[in-house]
PDB file of all heavy atoms in Angstrom:
ATOM      1  N   ALA M  39      -1.983  15.296  55.350  1.00 62.00           N
ATOM      2  CA  ALA M  39      -2.136  14.765  56.683  1.00 62.00           C
ATOM      3  C   ALA M  39      -1.333  15.550  57.694  1.00 62.00           C
ATOM      4  O   ALA M  39      -1.798  15.762  58.815  1.00 62.00           O
ATOM      5  CB  ALA M  39      -1.647  13.267  56.723  1.00 62.00           C
ATOM      6  N   ARG M  40      -0.168  15.964  57.324  1.00 66.00           N
ATOM      7  CA  ARG M  40       0.701  16.776  58.176  1.00 66.00           C
ATOM      8  C   ARG M  40       0.023  18.107  58.479  1.00 66.00           C
ATOM      9  O   ARG M  40       0.022  18.598  59.643  1.00 66.00           O
ATOM     10  CB  ARG M  40       2.052  16.979  57.525  1.00 66.00           C
ATOM     11  CG  ARG M  40       3.097  17.640  58.410  1.00 66.00           C
ATOM     12  CD  ARG M  40       4.278  18.053  57.581  1.00 66.00           C
ATOM     13  NE  ARG M  40       5.437  18.417  58.356  1.00 66.00           N
ATOM     14  CZ  ARG M  40       6.348  17.573  58.796  1.00 66.00           C
ATOM     15  NH1 ARG M  40       6.239  16.274  58.515  1.00 66.00           N
ATOM     16  NH2 ARG M  40       7.350  17.940  59.563  1.00 66.00           N
ATOM     17  N   ASP M  41      -0.551  18.730  57.454  1.00 76.00           N
ATOM     18  CA  ASP M  41      -1.219  20.023  57.635  1.00 76.00           C
ATOM     19  C   ASP M  41      -2.429  19.854  58.554  1.00 76.00           C
ATOM     20  O   ASP M  41      -2.659  20.710  59.423  1.00 76.00           O
ATOM     21  CB  ASP M  41      -1.685  20.586  56.294  1.00 76.00           C
ATOM     22  CG  ASP M  41      -0.489  21.036  55.426  1.00 76.00           C
ATOM     23  OD1 ASP M  41       0.597  21.250  55.978  1.00 76.00           O
ATOM     24  OD2 ASP M  41      -0.713  21.191  54.183  1.00 76.00           O
ATOM     25  N   ALA M  42      -3.177  18.755  58.364  1.00 80.00           N
ATOM     26  CA  ALA M  42      -4.353  18.517  59.252  1.00 80.00           C
ATOM     27  C   ALA M  42      -3.923  18.312  60.680  1.00 80.00           C
ATOM     28  O   ALA M  42      -4.563  18.875  61.615  1.00 80.00           O
ATOM     29  CB  ALA M  42      -5.117  17.286  58.715  1.00 80.00           C
ATOM     30  N   LEU M  43      -2.830  17.579  60.906  1.00 85.00           N
ATOM     31  CA  LEU M  43      -2.310  17.402  62.274  1.00 85.00           C
ATOM     32  C   LEU M  43      -1.869  18.715  62.874  1.00 85.00           C
ATOM     33  O   LEU M  43      -2.171  18.972  64.044  1.00 85.00           O
ATOM     34  CB  LEU M  43      -1.156  16.374  62.246  1.00 85.00           C
ATOM     35  CG  LEU M  43      -0.446  16.171  63.561  1.00 85.00           C
ATOM     36  CD1 LEU M  43      -1.407  15.690  64.660  1.00 85.00           C
ATOM     37  CD2 LEU M  43       0.695  15.170  63.424  1.00 85.00           C
ATOM     38  N   ASN M  44      -1.177  19.532  62.111  1.00 83.00           N
ATOM     39  CA  ASN M  44      -0.693  20.801  62.632  1.00 83.00           C
ATOM     40  C   ASN M  44      -1.909  21.719  62.958  1.00 83.00           C
ATOM     41  O   ASN M  44      -1.806  22.510  63.912  1.00 83.00           O
ATOM     42  CB  ASN M  44       0.198  21.499  61.617  1.00 83.00           C
ATOM     43  CG  ASN M  44       1.673  21.110  61.846  1.00 83.00           C
ATOM     44  OD1 ASN M  44       2.110  20.920  62.976  1.00 83.00           O
ATOM     45  ND2 ASN M  44       2.393  21.052  60.782  1.00 83.00           N
ATOM     46  N   ARG M  45      -2.977  21.618  62.246  1.00 89.00           N
ATOM     47  CA  ARG M  45      -4.208  22.412  62.584  1.00 89.00           C
ATOM     48  C   ARG M  45      -4.723  21.912  63.912  1.00 89.00           C
ATOM     49  O   ARG M  45      -5.202  22.731  64.746  1.00 89.00           O
ATOM     50  CB  ARG M  45      -5.231  22.337  61.483  1.00 89.00           C
ATOM     51  CG  ARG M  45      -4.874  23.149  60.271  1.00 89.00           C
ATOM     52  CD  ARG M  45      -6.029  23.269  59.331  1.00 89.00           C
ATOM     53  NE  ARG M  45      -6.500  21.999  58.792  1.00 89.00           N
ATOM     54  CZ  ARG M  45      -6.026  21.503  57.668  1.00 89.00           C
ATOM     55  NH1 ARG M  45      -5.084  22.122  56.982  1.00 89.00           N
ATOM     56  NH2 ARG M  45      -6.519  20.322  57.210  1.00 89.00           N
ATOM     57  N   GLN M  46      -4.768  20.653  64.088  1.00 92.00           N
ATOM     58  CA  GLN M  46      -5.233  20.084  65.390  1.00 92.00           C
ATOM     59  C   GLN M  46      -4.360  20.505  66.543  1.00 92.00           C
ATOM     60  O   GLN M  46      -4.812  20.839  67.622  1.00 92.00           O
ATOM     61  CB  GLN M  46      -5.325  18.563  65.296  1.00 92.00           C
ATOM     62  CG  GLN M  46      -6.383  18.042  64.355  1.00 92.00           C
ATOM     63  CD  GLN M  46      -6.301  16.520  64.142  1.00 92.00           C
ATOM     64  OE1 GLN M  46      -5.227  15.954  64.161  1.00 92.00           O
ATOM     65  NE2 GLN M  46      -7.479  15.894  64.008  1.00 92.00           N
TER      66      GLN M  46
END
Side-chain angles (χ1 to χ4, degrees):
R40 186 191 195 88
D41 289 344
L43 175 58
N44 270 326
R45 286 194 296 271
Q46 293 173 325

